[in-house]
Amino acid sequence: MDKKDLNGNENLENNGTTEEELNTSEIINEEVEVAQVAAEEPVNTTKADSIPVMNKVGANNATPPPTAPRSNKAWMIASIVLAAALIIVLVVQKDDSKKAVATVNGTKITKEQLYDKLIEAGGESTLQSMITTELVDQEAKKANVTVTDEDINTELEDLKAQFGGEAAFNAALSQSSMTVDDLKKQMPLQVKLRKILEPQVTVTDDEIKEYYDTNKATFSEEEQVRASHILVETKEEADAILKQLKEGADFATLAKEKSSDTGSKDNGGDLDFFKRGDMVAEFSDVAFKLKVGETSDAVKSDYGYHIIKVTDHKDAKDYTLEEKKDEIRKTLVSQKVSTLSSTWMSETTEKAKITNTLTDAKEDAAATAEPTASAAAGNESTK
């Protein structure tokens, strides 16, 4: 059971749709921006077939599950697949473009037709992504920038922290139809860009203090408890379980066997740490009164009867500027790198010699059509 929602599938909020075409700056900014968006927006997870005991007070459990913070990672994976398909078709097209890749009632669908459809479906944006990656790779080589496994792991840990933890991070991946390995394939581009641009970024102590003062409320941590629970339908079931616990039965084992909360039962009923407002009132009121190691009597809520065991506790805490200084510096550096990356990418692209057969022809056609249109307009004005 997730502390925010116990409904099986873990999804996140999506504040924007996947864009079919990304310009050069957007492709570069995407990985940098996603962590910042995640840090700004709380992440909810939902489980469709279990009980939303941990929903915030007043939440409407009948509403559709929320989706993820703005992220084009799913598009990026689709682009990789599409790019691979395009390369395969390009390789074979020269010699056997008329060869059938499929037939429908005897009518052929050729490799050439497949290639054309792949181009229509996203060839331009896929090729642009490949051009961008090559540009960054070249600039990284000039700057002697390399990417190690440690760099990738550090980047992953930073993302997990900014998403709010392992569960929310995994939910974001699930929403984007990605695995950790998929994400790792995308990260070298982000790491290279950060390493290239970070030396150009300066963050002062005054900026850090201003950020701390502006966001001081976010540097306070509410009291939290960690608890496990067993959820059943009736008081009689709860009382029977309590009797077994008093006789020495293991709480986690009974949770796996008897709890109806599919979100937590496999973890022995563990709900991880939660704040008071993360739970329905009946649950929180009891959990926050228990001492570590204590187990409650049967607690009734709209979802049934809970037996709650508190396993850990964190006091409320207000963090000082000194305690958060390194974290704030890292955040400000990321923000400045994100802002700088757009300009840097545009300038780098302008300096590079790039040919793109998918877009150059269109630009040439537009340039040819423009004088013709101007001449026609001139003729009209002289009539």
Side-chain angles (χ1 to χ4, degrees), residues 3 8 19 24 60 66-67 95 116 123 139 179 190 211 248 289 291 308 336 355 365 369 377 379:
K3 62 176 175 290
E19 299 173 3
T24 302
N60 182 357
T67 52
D95 297 325
D116 290 341
E139 293 301 314
T179 65
Q190 176 184 346
Y211 186 93
K289 290 177 182 176
K291 295 178 181 178
I308 306 167
K336 290 190 176 187
T355 60
N379 291 335

Side-chain angles (χ1 to χ4, degrees), residues 89-154:
V89 176
L90 282 168
V91 168
V92 300
Q93 187 185 14
K94 183 176 179 181
D95 297 325
D96 55 0
S97 60
K98 301 301 181 184
K99 184 177 179 179
V101 292
T103 61
V104 181
N105 294 325
T107 301
K108 293 181 180 179
I109 298 175
T110 67
K111 288 183 177 178
E112 182 178 25
Q113 290 172 316
L114 173 60
Y115 169 80
D116 290 341
K117 287 298 181 183
L118 287 169
I119 293 295
E120 290 176 15
E124 286 187 23
S125 54
T126 301
L127 184 55
Q128 183 60 67
S129 177
M130 295 169 73
I131 290 170
T132 297
T133 300
E134 180 59 32
L135 272 176
V136 174
D137 286 346
Q138 291 177 9
E139 293 301 314
K141 189 174 181 179
K142 289 179 188 177
N144 293 319
V145 165
T146 58
V147 178
T148 66
D149 289 342
E150 184 179 353
D151 291 327
I152 297 299
N153 291 331
T154 298

